[in-house]
Amino acid sequence: MSVIDWQPTCGLPQLRLRAQLLAFIRQFFAQRDVLEVETPLLCHTTGTDPLLDFFSADYRFLPQPQPMFLQTSPEFAMKRLLAAGSGSIYQICKAFRNGESGRFHNPEFTMLEWYRVDFQLPEFMDEVAELISTILAPRFPAKTIEKIAYVDLFLQTTGLNPLIFSLADYQAYSIAHDFPEAVDLCGEDHVLWIDFIFSHKIQPQLGLQSVCLVYGYPALLSSLARINAENSAITDRFEVFVEGIELGNGFYELADSREQEQRFDLEIAEREQKGLPLVKKDEYLLAALSAGLPDCSGVALGLDRLLMLLDESASIDDILTFPIARA
Amino acid sequence: MATFSTNEFKSGLKIILDSDPCAIIENEFVKPGKGQAFNRVKIRNLKTGRVIERTFKSGDTVEGADVVDRDMQYLYSDGEFWHFMVTDGSYEQYQATAAVVDDAVKWLKDQDVCTLTLWNDVPLAVTPPKFVDLVITETDPGLKGDTSGGGGKPATLETGAVVRVPLFVQIGELIRVDTRTGEYISRVKE
């Protein structure tokens, strides 16, 4: 008879650490009058990003069974609350991403997502940095807060300009830095090259001494962020890194329903072209944006990774009760 | 041979990379929240022993390598080939070239059981037993009564290997050696 691994992969100290973290976060937002909310994890649509794979489920509601989707993030529903006049809100919930499993990934994970009405990105990034550095202070008391523009960071670290696709320079860099496979793997795909170089050569060095916020992502990587008002080549998006680990992603939120719809259509077309699972665009979100999303900034943080840092864990399994293999 | 997707990559999996058989040592899934997923993989080339890092796009597939390890008894060398026999009772024999036997040659003694790594049923590498017992054929006479072992002296063994031994060990004695480090372990009573 085989032995069944029924026990949790984390220990009691990690359960306590998580409980403390959740209590601290709720206190942090209570002091700032940010309202805790709950939105559905199971919805009729979800994000269309071709690089995010979702889980789908069958809803047997007669007479018409319909597909439903586990949310890759609570973003759309939270924006509907914002458009309905909720004011600043936060949520701690599970998010689901199919096929993502590894040392830093579990397909089901815990996300903290929050939105601040009338916050511009610089002010909002300060709040994100404050929350993270306070949480990590017991383990990393000496971390400073560092903000750096994506383009400057890329140039400083690699000598390459991420906004200008100079294939020959990118190829020469990959060969000189011992990852020649990038030449075939990335081909003539500008976005892929930037992702590759960033995740291999830049990210591992970020946040070794600081809570590092990288802002001003190239417009190519804009996702749901607004295009910067002064420079259309960049976008009002930031990411936060500690010890080379990506902890979160934030935007000055796109409020233009027509632009949002265009981005949905493009992503759905790309899904069709690549033969990926299809999902309809979220008409609820588009209608909410048309009704008017207040100017706001928002961010999603991976709480499991914050716990990994606090606990000095090598793998996400060490701080989860039951990772996917034994869920 | 089967193909494997990056999702199936795990330590020990044998794949073909740049036409060489390789073993995966470590596989790390790398994915930005918004962006392309990669698998950064540490791989040992089983022909050269070299360890390299290689990145794959997640979901890509690679060809598997038909690589197996089998226990075989070393029989003899005819100068050109080293001959081995499978120990499972089949009497099946394999011959390995000098390039395949490589460094293992200095530990090979008749009848010792080695591990042969086969690729498409052809020997790729020979791993000697972790410990071998060999006779000293040449060493300087040591001082009687010196049991400290401090410093030691070189000794040539029956297979031609040279190891450092304590001063009290003499020609004709049988000693045990750790083949992974090339270090003397002890004298062996016959």
Side-chain angles (χ1 to χ4, degrees):
Chain A
M1 203 180 89
S2 65
V3 178
I4 293 177
D5 287 328
W6 62 270
Q7 290 190 313
T9 50
C10 73
L12 193 54
Q14 288 74 31
L15 290 183
R16 292 209 181 96
L17 200 60
R18 183 178 291 265
Q20 284 165 13
L21 176 66
L22 296 180
F24 172 80
I25 291 168
R26 294 200 157 100
Q27 186 193 355
F28 181 92
F29 288 114
Q31 283 165 354
R32 285 162 178 75
D33 273 331
V34 180
L35 183 68
E36 179 165 12
V37 298
E38 221 176 66
T39 57
L41 298 182
L42 190 61
C43 299
H44 285 93
T45 61
T46 190
T48 51
D49 183 347
L51 295 173
L52 284 185
D53 193 1
F54 44 72
F55 285 92
S56 52
D58 295 319
Y59 176 40
R60 293 193 193 85
F61 186 64
L62 296 172
Q64 184 75 57
Q66 35 197 303
M68 304 275 297
F69 301 89
L70 288 173
Q71 295 306 290
T72 52
S73 102
E75 180 161 5
F76 296 170
M78 289 181 80
K79 284 181 173 168
R80 284 160 64 190
L81 291 180
L82 289 159
S86 65
S88 296
I89 50 176
Y90 79 99
Q91 172 161 218
I92 297 169
C93 66
K94 290 298 187 75
F96 299 85
R97 294 183 183 181
N98 212 337
E100 298 193 5
S101 187
R103 209 151 70 79
F104 295 102
H105 297 80
N106 193 60
E108 173 181 347
F109 60 101
T110 304
M111 190 178 255
L112 163 64
E113 179 137 334
W114 86 90
Y115 292 87
R116 285 295 227 152
V117 173
D118 290 333
F119 272 43
Q120 302 276 317
L121 217 44
E123 186 188 2
F124 187 64
M125 283 163 64
D126 287 340
E127 188 171 84
V128 173
E130 188 188 339
L131 177 73
I132 292 174
S133 57
T134 313
I135 288 171
L136 292 179
R139 166 83 186 84
F140 301 101
K143 290 253 185 239
T144 56
I145 288 168
E146 184 187 3
K147 291 182 188 170
I148 183 161
Y150 185 100
V151 176
D152 295 344
L153 175 66
F154 213 98
L155 270 168
Q156 278 169 26
T157 317
T158 66
L160 301 168
N161 185 340
L163 300 178
I164 299 165
F165 186 37
S166 162
L167 183 59
D169 290 344
Y170 286 22
Q171 287 174 339
Y173 180 83
S174 76
I175 289 160
H177 289 81
D178 216 24
F179 51 98
E181 66 269 32
V183 173
D184 282 339
L185 197 155
C186 301
E188 295 188 11
D189 187 333
H190 187 184
V191 172
L192 203 49
W193 271 103
I194 298 179
D195 271 350
F196 194 113
I197 294 170
F198 192 89
S199 55
H200 283 66
K201 286 289 154 189
I202 301 177
Q203 185 180 328
Q205 310 305 321
L206 297 180
L208 301 183
Q209 268 85 44
S210 65
V211 172
C212 179
L213 297 111
V214 180
Y215 63 92
Y217 273 64
L220 292 161
L221 312 173
S222 62
S223 194
L224 298 171
R226 281 195 209 197
I227 296 298
N228 187 271
E230 274 116 54
N231 181 355
S232 65
I234 63 168
T235 179
D236 289 332
R237 170 184 167 197
F238 70 95
E239 292 235 9
V240 53
F241 301 89
V242 173
E243 300 289 306
I245 300 171
E246 180 194 19
L247 289 178
N249 178 71
F251 304 131
Y252 189 49
E253 300 293 345
L254 178 64
D256 181 334
S257 70
R258 243 170 306 167
E259 188 175 342
Q260 178 68 63
E261 187 162 16
Q262 278 170 8
R263 292 193 199 179
F264 274 155
D265 289 341
L266 281 174
E267 290 185 339
I268 288 168
E270 192 181 333
R271 281 188 164 273
E272 272 171 3
Q273 186 210 331
K274 290 184 174 168
L276 297 170
L278 292 180
V279 60
K280 291 189 176 120
K281 55 192 163 193
D282 190 338
E283 297 288 357
Y284 291 122
L285 175 69
L286 293 174
L289 295 182
S290 301
L293 182 76
D295 283 343
C296 63
S297 295
V299 70
L301 292 183
L303 292 190
D304 305 300
R305 292 188 189 164
L306 263 176
L307 280 171
M308 284 178 71
L309 284 169
L310 272 177
D311 191 51
E312 297 177 65
S313 302
S315 162
I316 194 168
D317 290 3
D318 299 339
I319 52 89
L320 295 174
T321 51
F322 304 110
I324 189 81
R326 56 176 82 174
Chain B
M1 193 67 199
T3 58
F4 295 96
S5 131
T6 55
N7 295 337
E8 299 169 276
F9 282 11
K10 57 175 188 232
S11 174
L13 183 73
K14 313 288 195 304
I15 58 168
I16 301 284
L17 194 66
D18 306 331
S19 348
D20 275 356
C22 298
I24 289 178
I25 301 172
E26 229 177 77
N27 171 32
E28 180 134 316
F29 179 70
V30 179
K31 176 162 191 331
K34 316 270 171 194
Q36 173 66 45
F38 301 108
N39 286 66
R40 201 178 301 156
V41 187
K42 214 178 257 178
I43 298 167
R44 184 190 312 281
N45 182 317
L46 295 173
K47 255 185 171 167
T48 64
R50 253 190 85 209
V51 173
I52 57 162
E53 278 204 16
R54 181 66 76 91
T55 295
F56 297 85
K57 217 196 275 185
S58 294
D60 278 359
T61 55
V62 292
E63 197 189 336
D66 178 11
V67 173
V68 289
D69 287 338
R70 296 186 78 177
D71 285 343
M72 298 191 203
Q73 194 174 50
Y74 171 56
L75 301 176
Y76 65 97
S77 167
D78 60 20
E80 192 182 357
F81 293 106
W82 280 254
H83 298 264
F84 297 85
M85 184 177 73
V86 184
T87 56
D88 62 3
S90 66
Y91 301 104
E92 204 181 337
Q93 289 193 21
Y94 287 87
Q95 53 181 30
T97 62
V100 166
V101 175
D102 200 31
D103 270 353
V105 70
K106 65 183 180 190
W107 307 118
L108 288 184
K109 194 168 103 174
D110 301 0
Q111 301 187 353
D112 273 359
V113 176
C114 308
T115 303
L116 262 76
T117 304
L118 303 175
W119 177 33
N120 297 331
D121 215 33
V122 175
L124 186 67
V126 175
T127 311
K130 289 190 183 83
F131 299 100
V132 290
D133 296 344
L134 297 168
V135 174
I136 296 177
T137 55
E138 207 184 310
T139 189
D140 286 340
L143 297 164
K144 274 238 161 69
D146 179 355
T147 54
S148 69
K153 60 183 179 179
T156 306
L157 309 179
E158 58 183 305
T159 54
V162 177
V163 297
R164 276 201 94 69
V165 298
L167 298 176
F168 59 81
V169 180
Q170 305 296 339
I171 292 178
E173 284 192 284
L174 186 66
I175 63 163
R176 180 159 299 165
V177 182
D178 184 330
T179 60
R180 294 161 297 182
T181 58
E183 278 170 14
Y184 165 90
I185 300 294
S186 64
R187 284 193 284 191
V188 182
K189 289 203 182 90
E190 282 181 87

